[in-house]
Amino acid sequence: MNEHHRRFFDPRSLSRQQQARIPIVAQIVGGLLTALLIAVILLAITSAAWAILYLIHTAP
């Protein structure tokens, strides 16, 4: 190692990056919330489309 690398390299930064990992429970909860959000958005789009079709069908 040259002097520049030795002066600016912090070996503690590796352990800090390892501690910043998201736990598996948080990943599962995040995935479930994401799936729920996608399902709600799809239901909203579907209900809006059905409402528009209903209004077109029942228009005088």
Side-chain angles (χ1 to χ4, degrees):
M1 266 195 262
N2 57 18
E3 187 63 31
H4 177 79
H5 187 264
R6 191 179 305 129
R7 199 173 359 161
F8 292 103
F9 178 71
D10 186 11
R12 292 175 296 174
S13 64
L14 295 176
S15 63
R16 253 186 270 129
Q17 289 174 356
Q18 290 174 353
Q19 291 174 359
R21 287 186 184 159
I22 301 175
I24 188 71
V25 175
Q27 289 181 356
I28 292 173
V29 171
L32 289 175
L33 288 176
T34 303
L36 180 65
L37 180 66
I38 291 172
V40 167
I41 290 172
L42 287 175
L43 284 173
I45 292 171
T46 305
S47 63
W50 277 106
I52 291 170
L53 288 174
Y54 176 76
L55 289 174
I56 291 172
H57 183 70
T58 57

